[in-house]
Amino acid sequence: MKTLGRWARAEWGELYVTVRGRLLRRRWRAVPLAVAAVCLTAALHFVHNQSWGYGFVQDVGAVRAADPLWLALLRTPLSLFVPALDLPVWGALAQILFVFGLAEICLGRWRTLTLAYAATLAGTLYARVGIWLGPDSPLGLPASDAHVVDTGPSAAVVGLAVFLGWQYGARVTAGAVVAAMVVEVLVKENLAGREHVAAIATMLVLCALSAARQRRTRARETVGPGLPRPGP
């Protein structure tokens, strides 16, 4: 048990301390974006399930590779909050509250929203590339997937979880999320699984860029005002 406790502190300690302190100080005021995202997702799900609202939600938030690119880009921000009708909405709401909440506290509101959009957009653009490559390519998709609606909030949730885990030292957790999404693609070949992997790949690239920037910043800080700067 002691070994498990030490591992848990090493894996989640930094994340726990950051989140606990801010939640104790501000409670729900610390996560307005996460709360708003949950409310918007629940509202869109309710409207989507009504005969009078199905077409409206499809028109404003359903993205397919068959759509013109300009229309897909216009719909993508709202598609972040349109859950799949064939999956339990409560699971999606819990994931959004938990992952968006952690990200909002640790990364900030606008950075969280930007990363969520980047993850969703990566899946949207991959679908178009995959269909262009065709089913004969390892990265390709069948033409029928052009008419399948994109993943909705799940790509953003997966992407944020990986980025947050990597940035805050929860590398095993981030690796577990990556492994789970890869297994999903291998076991259940579908568009959603491929888009999740595309979102993860995008987040890993952003993690690498962030790490490189931090190394450059630390290198500049270690160069004192009276010391010569290193050559190129």
Side-chain angles (χ1 to χ4, degrees), residues 8-216:
R9 285 192 294 273
E11 178 74 4
W12 299 309
E14 183 180 359
L15 191 62
Y16 173 78
V17 170
T18 302
V19 172
R20 182 177 181 274
R22 295 181 186 177
L23 277 180
L24 285 177
R25 288 195 303 270
R26 304 193 64 193
R27 298 192 182 278
W28 290 110
R29 290 176 297 160
V31 287
L33 172 62
V35 173
V38 168
C39 294
L40 180 58
T41 302
L44 287 172
H45 179 76
F46 173 78
V47 174
H48 206 184
N49 275 282
Q50 309 305 312
S51 58
W52 50 265
Y54 178 84
F56 169 75
V57 175
Q58 289 286 308
D59 288 341
V60 299
V63 177
R64 301 175 181 83
D67 297 333
L69 181 59
W70 67 268
L71 183 59
L73 294 176
L74 193 63
R75 291 174 174 173
T76 298
L78 194 60
S79 75
L80 275 167
F81 309 106
V82 179
L85 289 175
D86 59 339
L87 296 176
V89 68
W90 296 112
L93 295 177
Q95 290 176 5
I96 292 170
L97 181 61
F98 182 69
V99 176
F100 270 66
L102 291 179
E104 184 176 5
I105 290 172
C106 296
L107 304 175
R109 188 179 312 163
W110 291 110
R111 194 179 183 193
T112 296
L113 200 56
T114 300
L115 289 169
Y117 179 73
T120 301
L121 186 61
T124 295
L125 297 179
Y126 161 74
R128 294 171 179 271
V129 174
I131 290 165
W132 176 75
L133 291 173
D136 295 331
S137 169
L139 299 177
L141 296 168
S144 58
D145 280 349
H147 302 284
V148 177
V149 177
D150 278 0
T151 61
S154 60
V157 167
V158 168
L160 283 173
V162 170
F163 188 93
L164 191 62
W166 189 267
Q167 290 290 97
Y168 275 78
R171 304 294 171 83
V172 175
T173 304
V177 174
V178 174
M181 296 302 102
V182 171
V183 169
E184 178 189 11
V185 170
L186 296 176
V187 173
K188 186 179 180 182
E189 183 70 22
N190 59 14
L191 177 61
R194 295 289 191 98
E195 289 187 338
H196 291 160
V197 173
I200 287 172
T202 301
M203 292 300 105
L204 291 178
V205 170
L206 293 177
C207 285
L209 293 175
S210 177
R213 184 180 60 187
Q214 289 173 3
R215 284 195 298 269
R216 288 196 301 269

